[in-house]
Amino acid sequence: MANGERLEVRPDGLEQLNQVTAYACRDEVALILIDSPPVNALGGDVRRGLLEGFTRAANDPAARAVVLACAGRTFIAGADIREFDHPDLDAPGLHAVLDVIEACPKPTVAAIHGTALGGGLETALCCHYRVASPSAQVGLPEVALGLLPGAGGTQRVPRIVEAEAALAMMAFGKPVPAARAEAMGLLDALIEENLLDGAIRFARGKAHEGSAPVRVRDRTEGLALPHDAQLFARFRRDNARAFKGYTAPEAIVRAVEAAVTLPFEQGMQREAQLYGELIAGRQSAAMRYLFFAERQCTRIPDLPRDTPPRPIAHVGVVGAGTMGSGIAMTFLDAGLPVVLVEREEEALARGLAAIRSNYEASRDKGRIDQATLEQRMDRLTTSLDMADLAEVDLVIEAVFENMALKQEVFAKIDAIARPGAILASNTSFLDLDAIAAVTARAPDVIGLHFFSPANVMRLLEVVRGAKTGPDVVASAMALARRIRKVAVLARVCDGFIANRMMTPRMDAARALILEGPMPWEVDAAMRDYGFAMGPFAMLDLVGLDVIGWDAATSSSSTITEVLCERGRWGQKRRAGFYDYDDKRRATPSPQVETLVREFQQTSGIAMQPFSHEEIVERLLLPVVNEGARLLEEGIALRASDIDVALVTGYGWPAYTGGPMFWADDHGLPRIVAALEAMGETPCALLSRLASEGSALHEFAPGKIPSNA
Ligand code: CAA
Ligand code: NAI
């Protein structure tokens, strides 16, 4: 929870309406209280209680005003997402409940703490007033679930908030802090003191004012504000890249357009129609799946949830290169002090400068202020002496990807670090167990595999070695949450989950260009699918020389090798698979086209045209096959963990749900047949699940990996 504030409510005379809702009326104000952990979502019982509570308050002669509040960590955090696929049809629908709330003839006040999200905020918008703790946040995050706010949010918000701000709030789904929400007109007051007392006083005040309360649907402040006629066209154009492929943002734009042009009831019909289309679609199914998949990742079958993590208050990072400096920033951002250790003074200075300039860029973009920048830099110390790691609770090694070097560094850390410290490696491919073996404390050694740029990418692969202690795994999972990463547990193998999954895509891409398509056609098909970048553009970005070309030994038998030989190393040379101009804009290279044609002619493979769909299958089905192997080998705990890793670590389009969801959606028999048709052998698990009519997600969910 953003603020950790809890609302403890025990007013006298509180009467349970059902298990999760209660009612009280004191000093002219009726209180309807929801207490449905963990987040007071609008499940069937909450809806029943709301209906009964508001009906009772409306008819209660002792009540002149009504307050709606929630106990525990937050106000209503939205619809109960679990119910989307298993609706409680016996309970009243949300719209029916909101109609009753909105029709209450007495002033109604929502008292908001924590996060009022989605249907939670929409419920609050059916009250006449909204008051909140200063630490509260309000938002309409449905877009992240492939949906739009379907309980009147798209119509009510623009009535009280300026259209563009309303649009941005819904299309990006980012929660708005209370102070800003008040300035926008979403909140009527911030309550510094006890929220419930303040809300009750506010409600009583409104009752005493005596004037009839106005429903949000009847208000026009937002609509009255001028907005430029081109707003919607401009909003679409400006955000075309961010929204590409996603259906929900466009539906939101249309719904808000309806709000500012149509009468309320017609706007509501439009919202309902658009919502209906989204909820029935595969994108929303995929994104709802990912919501729970992300939370599922933290469940480790052989690790009790209450395994106490080791305290981590001070972190050491070894190596101030690309990854080391990004990793250091991740911890500084989360408020943890870091000591960054290098062996070369120059590299240390470079790393330090990179960190500072990164923070300065954030400041210049208005993301952080100068004081925050200085605080973060103050938490950082640098050193050329490993002895300075003696006091830290966690050391993360990020030196070159070289086993001998990593072993040397770990032996040194082992000699220096305090007993109980966690020793982590950021290795991408190397055998963690061989690294752990040089220390006298293998149970304390773990892999913490960050993705570049480490301070931005959300994925953290937690690599569990053969001897890693359970409490060290628990500590890493808890730490990930503190540094706002999504932790996915992997066992030791070459490439762990995400890198190993993406290798077959690259191999397939390189093989495919021998059969007809040009690199840019392959990239275009991948962009169509939803990736920001295709594999060849990615190679150019990383550097063709970096991916294993050695001038002395290379045979020039592949297209990549020939390109390296010709100095076409990628973007840094302004030439790779593409030609680049001074602004690094790519155009297909005629020279590469000739080269690819030469290779095609000597390959002996019959050339054929490929549609984008065929290209996608050729590149992505081998990835699915690799995912099934990861499950088979026990490297990944579950199919959904693999999807989370690729969506958060490799920009796999969230609206497809990731490769495993995509494969299940297509049906495994089809996947197996297509793999066979392209000459790939489906792994045994994939074939078995297909023949059993099962799915990757049904495979031993939560099974303990076999190399435990
Ligand atoms: N429905 C059902 N369960 C939910 C839920 C929801 N809306 N929101 C959270 N939960 C569950 C989580 O699955 C998790 O359960 P487990 O502990 O069993 O894993 C638990 O609540 C706590 O969630 P987090 O771990 O995410 O806790 P947090 O403190 O980090 O974050 C939160 C809390 C900010 C509320 C975050 O959970 C969140 O963003 N939830 C989703 C909010 C949302 O999308 N609301 C809109 C729903 S759609 C809607 O409302 C449609 C409509 O128009 C009616
Ligand atoms: P880099 O080359 O940018 O940085 C490595 C740094 O380690 C250099 O500054 C070097 O001076 C320093 N170093 C070398 N030996 C040292 C020692 N004995 N003591 C202290 N510092 C020492 O490398 P990069 O890209 O940051 O990679 C580091 C590790 O992270 C590698 O294991 C790599 O596989 C992994 N990784 C890299 C990713 C990437 O995208 N670059 C992504 C994820 C992991």
Side-chain angles (χ1 to χ4, degrees):
M1 190 62 44
N3 48 52
E5 179 191 7
R6 296 184 64 84
L7 200 65
E8 310 290 350
V9 194
R10 289 191 194 79
D12 303 336
L14 203 58
E15 186 189 325
Q16 290 300 129
L17 296 170
N18 61 18
Q19 275 203 325
V20 294
T21 54
Y23 181 89
C25 183
R26 257 199 1 214
D27 301 335
E28 306 178 318
V29 179
L31 170 68
I32 295 161
L33 185 72
I34 304 175
D35 188 1
S36 181
V39 295
N40 292 312
L42 287 162
D45 280 339
V46 170
R47 300 200 300 275
R48 279 189 195 91
L50 282 172
L51 188 65
E52 191 183 333
F54 274 90
T55 307
R56 191 156 155 185
N59 297 310
D60 188 340
R64 291 185 61 192
V66 189
V67 167
L68 169 64
C70 294
R73 60 205 278 204
T74 179
F75 190 77
I76 305 167
D80 187 336
I81 303 169
R82 284 174 211 281
E83 257 194 21
F84 284 18
D85 297 312
H86 312 280
D88 179 351
L89 297 172
D90 294 336
L94 184 58
H95 280 92
V97 174
L98 296 186
D99 285 347
V100 169
I101 296 178
E102 197 176 41
C104 186
K106 303 169 185 178
T108 51
V109 180
I112 298 171
H113 77 294
T115 40
L117 299 177
L121 179 58
E122 292 174 298
T123 303
L125 285 162
C126 288
C127 294
H128 300 115
Y129 307 99
R130 286 146 298 284
V131 300
S133 302
S135 58
Q137 300 201 358
V138 300
L140 293 168
E142 286 86 342
V143 69
L145 299 171
L147 295 172
L148 54 71
T154 66
Q155 304 305 301
R156 288 194 180 89
V157 174
R159 282 180 160 69
I160 52 174
V161 170
E162 189 259 323
E164 187 161 7
L167 195 52
M169 183 178 171
M170 292 182 239
F172 299 110
K174 213 170 150 234
V176 181
R180 184 162 147 61
E182 187 192 23
M184 283 165 76
L186 271 173
L187 297 177
D188 299 286
L190 300 189
I191 308 250
E192 302 277 347
E193 68 220 89
N194 178 294
L195 175 65
L196 199 55
D197 292 346
I200 290 173
R201 202 168 312 124
F202 183 95
R204 195 179 301 117
K206 291 295 171 191
H208 285 263
E209 277 176 17
S211 48
V214 184
R215 301 177 301 181
V216 170
R217 70 157 73 194
D218 300 324
R219 288 171 55 182
T220 52
E221 300 97 295
L223 300 180
L225 289 169
H227 67 260
D228 84 68
Q230 296 306 310
L231 167 62
F232 296 101
R234 181 168 44 78
F235 191 80
R236 283 187 176 99
R237 200 179 48 240
D238 289 353
N239 298 297
R241 244 177 101 155
F243 297 159
K244 185 171 161 261
Y246 289 86
T247 50
E250 172 58 22
I252 287 169
V253 176
R254 287 192 201 171
V256 176
E257 251 177 323
V260 302
T261 52
L262 298 176
F264 183 77
E265 287 301 344
Q266 281 181 36
M268 287 296 279
Q269 280 168 17
R270 187 91 181 99
E271 178 192 275
Q273 178 217 337
L274 291 162
Y275 182 83
E277 288 166 12
L278 293 177
I279 190 108
R282 292 316 292 161
Q283 287 205 357
S284 176
M287 292 167 83
R288 289 181 337 249
Y289 154 81
L290 285 173
F291 176 84
F292 289 113
E294 252 186 46
R295 283 152 182 85
Q296 177 87 348
C297 288
T298 57
R299 306 224 153 110
I300 301 162
D302 65 333
L303 208 67
R305 284 215 111 180
D306 53 2
T307 308
R310 294 188 190 177
I312 297 173
H314 194 182
V315 178
V317 177
V318 185
T322 312
M323 293 309 288
S325 47
I327 294 169
M329 287 171 66
T330 306
F331 287 97
L332 299 172
D333 295 355
L336 282 138
V338 174
V339 51
L340 182 59
V341 181
E342 252 293 339
R343 69 170 178 193
E344 288 169 25
E345 193 147 8
E346 243 177 61
L348 190 56
R350 243 191 339 263
L352 189 61
I355 294 175
R356 182 168 273 283
S357 80
N358 203 302
Y359 282 146
E360 284 169 353
S362 294
R363 179 203 54 201
D364 295 345
K365 285 181 197 148
R367 292 198 188 128
I368 56 169
D369 56 22
Q370 182 66 26
T372 307
L373 183 156
E374 296 304 340
Q375 274 165 14
R376 290 184 187 175
M377 291 307 293
D378 286 349
R379 285 197 279 269
L380 176 65
T381 47
T382 56
S383 167
L384 291 168
D385 186 355
M386 297 272 273
D388 287 328
L389 296 168
E391 300 300 323
V392 303
D393 306 308
L394 163 71
V395 185
I396 302 176
E397 164 278 312
V399 304
F400 304 126
E401 186 78 342
N402 173 299
M403 179 57 90
L405 176 65
K406 292 211 191 258
Q407 286 181 325
E408 180 196 318
V409 168
F410 264 77
K412 278 192 198 150
I413 299 172
D414 186 27
I416 291 164
R418 68 165 182 75
I422 295 173
L423 314 189
S425 174
N426 183 49
T427 181
S428 307
F429 292 96
L430 299 175
D431 179 353
L432 183 77
D433 295 327
I435 296 174
V438 302
T439 72
R441 39 172 130 177
D444 295 345
V445 176
I446 195 163
L448 290 180
H449 184 217
F450 290 80
F451 287 72
S452 184
N455 56 321
V456 176
M457 298 302 287
R458 289 174 66 224
L459 177 62
L460 175 64
E461 278 181 348
V462 173
V463 185
R464 184 178 189 173
K467 295 190 176 158
T468 306
D471 64 325
V472 172
V473 176
S475 306
M477 301 309 277
L479 177 72
R481 198 176 159 88
R482 273 173 80 192
I483 60 173
R484 295 192 195 91
K485 300 287 179 202
V486 177
V488 172
L489 191 68
R491 283 285 181 180
V492 177
C493 72
D494 191 6
F496 313 122
I497 297 176
N499 282 340
R500 191 170 139 182
M501 285 290 280
M502 292 309 270
T503 306
R505 187 186 81 151
M506 189 56 88
D507 293 345
R510 291 206 254 193
L512 187 61
I513 58 172
L514 297 178
E515 295 183 39
M518 281 292 140
W520 30 94
E521 290 170 48
V522 173
D523 281 355
M526 284 296 108
R527 287 197 308 272
D528 268 6
Y529 184 77
F531 286 99
M533 203 181 242
F536 294 103
M538 176 80 93
L539 279 177
D540 277 358
L541 179 68
V542 174
L544 272 57
D545 58 316
V546 180
I547 54 149
W549 182 71
D550 180 346
T553 56
S554 281
S555 58
S556 302
S557 62
T558 67
I559 293 172
T560 315
E561 283 172 351
V562 176
L563 291 179
C564 283
E565 207 176 65
R566 294 182 186 174
R568 297 187 68 98
W569 291 4
Q571 283 200 20
K572 57 187 158 194
R573 293 283 184 97
R574 301 280 183 273
F577 281 95
Y578 295 85
D579 291 328
Y580 293 88
D581 66 12
D582 289 345
K583 293 195 170 129
R584 297 210 173 196
R585 278 180 304 221
T587 43
S589 154
Q591 206 192 110
V592 172
E593 176 155 0
T594 309
L595 179 70
V596 173
R597 295 269 175 253
E598 283 166 18
F599 267 82
Q600 287 175 345
Q601 273 155 21
T602 52
S603 72
I605 304 169
M607 294 304 113
Q608 47 171 317
F610 281 80
S611 68
H612 276 196
E613 264 170 34
E614 286 165 330
I615 294 174
V616 165
E617 293 214 339
R618 280 292 289 268
L619 265 62
L620 301 191
L621 291 181
V623 175
V624 172
N625 206 16
E626 196 66 33
R629 280 194 204 102
L630 285 172
L631 291 176
E632 199 168 48
E633 295 167 21
I635 301 297
L637 273 175
R638 31 181 116 73
S640 58
D641 283 21
I642 298 177
D643 286 335
V644 170
L646 291 185
V647 169
T648 55
Y650 263 106
W652 198 288
Y655 56 74
T656 67
M660 311 304 264
F661 182 89
W662 180 70
D664 280 346
D665 227 23
H666 275 62
L668 296 189
R670 230 197 95 193
I671 301 283
V672 165
L675 275 167
E676 282 167 348
M678 68 175 72
E680 290 261 340
T681 311
C683 81
L685 176 67
L686 197 57
S687 300
R688 176 164 72 73
L689 293 174
S691 67
E692 288 170 356
S694 184
L696 289 160
H697 291 93
E698 285 169 30
F699 171 66
K703 178 175 169 277
I704 300 168
S706 54
N707 62 344

